[in-house]
């Protein structure tokens, strides 16, 4: 079984500062994928970034980067130069090996950017 | 191009009524997923289709829940004899099949908020 743990229910960050959202995972699969999604108050889930278990380099997408530490089973999301529009719920999710397509989500972190 | 669409966006049902929730995936997406998101929680997997085949329905909470995708595109999630604990947002997502070169990013619809009174 797969499990995602997000231990920060809420975070407040000053605008333009960087923020790290924590995510740890547990799986018996050797091959897996890790995702971060953003859910604004409108409710839609927006894909941010992906890291494969065999990827040697940390993923980056614009202001988003994923700090992947495989031995510690952590996949933290780093948002640089935060903006007011970054205020939302953030979910870490895992997909298992090829053929096991479903996502397992954590409980989420509510990020609030303070002007 | 058009994203994933869901209808209705909001549904209020009296306890015991049947409801049907519709999902239109992105054209060409082979995989389709249904998730249930309770208030303040992360989405939880319900069921998964690849084309018209339902490959995994392990997350359906009871036999009152039924999903279909008869022609491999539009999908319907049906809940019979609704109960108050069925109140949640039901999210649909679609993706291309994961290949050795891809990672199967799932694109989500806006969800249907079901309230059972």
């Amino acid at each position: 079984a797969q499990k995602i743990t997000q231990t920060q229910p809420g975070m407040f960050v000053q605008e333009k500062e960087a923020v790290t959202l924590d995510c740890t995972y547990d799986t018996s699969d050797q091959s897996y994928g890790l995702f971060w999604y953003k859910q604004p108050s409108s409710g839609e889930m927006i894909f941010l970034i992906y890291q494969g278990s065999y990827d040697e380099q940390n993923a980056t997408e614009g202001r988003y980067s994923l700090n992947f530490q495989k031995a510690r089973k952590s996949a933290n999301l780093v948002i640089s130069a935060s903006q007011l529009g970054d205020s939302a719920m953030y979910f870490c999710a895992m997909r298992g090996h090829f053929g096991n397509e479903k996502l397992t989500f954590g409980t989420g972190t509510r990020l609030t950017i303070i002007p | 191009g058009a994203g994933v669409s869901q209808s209705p966006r909001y549904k209020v049902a009296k306890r015991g009524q049947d409801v049907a929730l519709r999902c239109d995936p992105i054209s060409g997406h082979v995989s389709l997923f249904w998730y249930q998101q309770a208030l303040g929680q992360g989405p939880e997997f319900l069921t998964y289709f690849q084309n018209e085949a339902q490959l995994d329905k392990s997350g359906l909470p009871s036999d009152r829940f039924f999903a279909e995708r008869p022609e491999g595109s539009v999908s319907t999630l049906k809940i019979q004899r609704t109960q108050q604990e069925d109140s949640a947002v039901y999210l649909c997502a679609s993706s291309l099949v994961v290949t050795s070169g891809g990672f199967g990013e799932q694109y989500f619809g806006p969800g249907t908020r079901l309230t059972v009174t």
Side-chain angles (χ1 to χ4, degrees), chain A residues 35 37 39 42-47 50 89 91 95 98-108, chain B residues 9 33 35 37 40-43 45 48 56 58 91 97-99 103-110:
Chain A
F35 299 76
Y37 281 85
Q39 188 175 45
S42 59
E44 193 158 346
M45 300 286 282
I46 301 168
F47 166 74
Y50 167 82
M89 283 290 288
F91 290 97
R95 189 208 69 238
F98 176 57
N100 181 6
E101 312 279 336
K102 65 188 178 188
L103 293 178
T104 300
F105 286 85
T107 52
Chain B
R9 290 293 312 276
F33 305 81
Y35 295 88
Q37 187 175 20
Q41 300 296 316
F45 170 79
Y48 159 51
D56 187 345
S58 62
L91 294 167
V97 177
V98 173
T99 66
F103 54 82
E105 166 195 349
Q106 293 185 19
Y107 295 83
F108 283 79

Side-chain angles (χ1 to χ4, degrees), chain A residues 43-94:
Chain A
E44 193 158 346
M45 300 286 282
I46 301 168
F47 166 74
L48 296 178
I49 196 166
Y50 167 82
Q51 180 85 41
S53 57
Y54 291 118
D55 295 341
E56 294 186 351
Q57 289 194 327
N58 286 343
T60 60
E61 287 286 348
R63 294 187 298 113
Y64 304 108
S65 60
L66 201 153
N67 184 1
F68 180 47
Q69 298 188 40
K70 193 171 182 177
R72 298 181 61 184
K73 294 190 174 180
S74 75
N76 297 340
L77 176 70
V78 180
I79 306 174
S80 63
S82 57
Q83 302 171 354
L84 295 178
D86 294 335
S87 294
M89 283 290 288
Y90 288 80
F91 290 97
C92 181
M94 162 181 281

Side-chain angles (χ1 to χ4, degrees), chain B residues 11-20 64 78-87 114-117:
Chain B
K11 177 70 179 177
V12 179
K14 290 188 189 300
R15 191 166 58 121
Q17 283 184 335
D18 298 349
V19 299
R64 296 185 296 103
K78 297 179 179 177
I79 309 174
Q80 296 177 325
R81 304 180 304 281
T82 51
Q83 305 292 317
Q84 283 192 318
E85 60 263 28
D86 300 335
S87 295
L114 173 65
T115 303
V116 181
T117 61

